[in-house]
């Protein structure tokens, strides 16, 4: 008898590779016939390759963008929009997690949304505590909160040794987006 133990996985740290590692494990799961959902809490400015890939992968690998774009330095009225979008995103995540439709859900950049105060950490903890037993949940984003890492089965901290951005090299298609 091999009952699935749903893993809570955290990819954090300042180095590159948090989202792409999550997508990699998502692809591995998809290849095994698991149903994978990616929910992106923060939208970047690019047309990401993974959006195109997900469209081709079909119903068992679904990627949805939920947030309102970059939140860095957002203050004043703009922040209210981000707040509303983040609340909606968390609500959608909860619905999908509890639906039992998925084998793996990736909450991309949720740590970032927590750090910016857009998503309350206690609500995320509650999600981790009440998720279906067999569901694999992957959380990405720098500055993961200690409480979340404490609840996780697997935590990886990406460490930056070198990043081309530091020498002025622009983002490359297929690497950054
Ligand atoms: P990726 O999506 O490539 O796996 P990531 O999820 O680890 O990256 P994020 O914090 O989500 O990184 O940042 C997204 C963007 O910022 C990516 O284009 C990534 O290459 C870039 N980035 C990540 N780490 C660094 C860094 N240390 N310095 C400069 N840019 C970075
Ligand atoms: Mg990322």
């Amino acid at each position: 008898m091999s009952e699935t133990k749903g893993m809570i996985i955290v990819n954090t740290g300042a180095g590159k590779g948090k989202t792409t590692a999550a997508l990699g494990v998502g692809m591995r799961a998809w290849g095994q016939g698991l149903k994978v959902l990616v929910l992106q809490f923060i939208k970047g400015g690019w047309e990401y390759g993974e959006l195109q890939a997900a469209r081709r992968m079909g119903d068992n690998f679904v990627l949805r963008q939920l947030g309102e774009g970059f939140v860095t330095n957002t203050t004043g009225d703009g922040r209210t929009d981000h707040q509303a979008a983040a609340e909606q995103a968390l609500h959608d995540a909860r619905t999908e997690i509890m639906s039992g439709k998925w084998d793996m859900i990736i909450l991309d950049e949720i740590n970032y949304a927590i750090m910016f105060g857009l998503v309350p950490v206690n609500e995320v903890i509650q999600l981790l505590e009440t998720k279906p037993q067999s569901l694999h949940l992957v959380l990405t984003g720098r500055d993961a909160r200690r409480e979340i890492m404490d609840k996780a089965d697997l935590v990886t901290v990406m460490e930056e040794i070198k990043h081309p951005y530091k020498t002025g090299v622009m983002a490359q298609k297929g690497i950054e987006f």
Side-chain angles (χ1 to χ4, degrees), residues 14-20 109 142 160 163 165-166 175-176:
K16 173 175 159 62
K18 301 172 286 294
T19 296
T20 44
E109 308 302 350
R142 52 187 67 200
E160 181 189 326
H163 195 291
Y165 185 76
K166 295 284 155 65
I175 307 289
E176 318 285 349

Side-chain angles (χ1 to χ4, degrees), residues 11-23 46 48 50 70 108-109 112 140-142 158 160 162-166 171 175-177:
N11 293 348
T12 191
K16 173 175 159 62
K18 301 172 286 294
T19 296
T20 44
L23 292 170
W46 314 102
Y48 287 96
E50 54 264 39
F70 282 122
D108 188 41
E109 308 302 350
Y112 200 73
T140 87
R142 52 187 67 200
M158 306 294 169
E160 181 189 326
K162 273 187 168 188
H163 195 291
Y165 185 76
K166 295 284 155 65
I175 307 289
E176 318 285 349
F177 63 96

Side-chain angles (χ1 to χ4, degrees), residues 14-173:
K16 173 175 159 62
K18 301 172 286 294
T19 296
T20 44
L23 292 170
V25 81
M27 189 181 92
R28 176 173 281 173
W30 176 81
Q32 294 287 7
L34 305 190
K35 288 177 72 72
V36 180
L37 175 68
V38 185
L39 298 175
Q40 296 195 316
F41 275 70
I42 308 287
K43 261 186 264 177
W46 314 102
E47 173 65 17
Y48 287 96
E50 54 264 39
L51 282 168
Q52 317 250 17
R55 284 182 205 122
R56 293 190 215 160
M57 288 164 83
D59 294 344
N60 280 2
F61 193 103
V62 175
L63 193 156
R64 256 182 252 151
Q65 297 192 310
L66 300 173
E68 268 287 315
F70 282 122
V71 290
T72 322
N73 300 325
T74 301
T75 50
D77 289 348
R79 196 173 172 92
T80 318
D81 297 342
H82 287 298
Q83 191 69 57
E87 273 164 32
Q88 184 63 46
L90 191 61
H91 176 268
D92 292 352
R94 189 179 293 115
T95 303
E96 296 293 352
I97 286 168
M98 294 309 171
S99 74
K101 282 195 308 207
W102 306 100
D103 300 302
M104 177 183 290
I105 296 183
I106 298 170
L107 303 175
D108 188 41
E109 308 302 350
I110 193 167
N111 296 329
Y112 200 73
I114 294 167
M115 189 191 53
F116 270 89
L118 295 172
V119 167
V121 68
N122 60 318
E123 292 191 30
V124 178
I125 295 287
Q126 201 193 1
L127 268 183
L128 301 184
E129 286 171 347
T130 54
K131 76 169 185 65
Q133 189 280 133
S134 63
L135 175 72
H136 299 301
L137 207 53
V138 186
L139 299 89
T140 87
R142 52 187 67 200
D143 299 313
R145 291 282 288 266
R146 170 58 53 191
E147 305 94 293
I148 289 180
M149 294 197 277
D150 286 347
K151 288 269 176 235
D153 301 283
L154 173 56
V155 179
T156 301
V157 179
M158 306 294 169
E159 180 190 8
E160 181 189 326
I161 304 295
K162 273 187 168 188
H163 195 291
Y165 185 76
K166 295 284 155 65
T167 55
V169 179
M170 289 293 103
Q172 299 294 303
K173 186 194 282 187

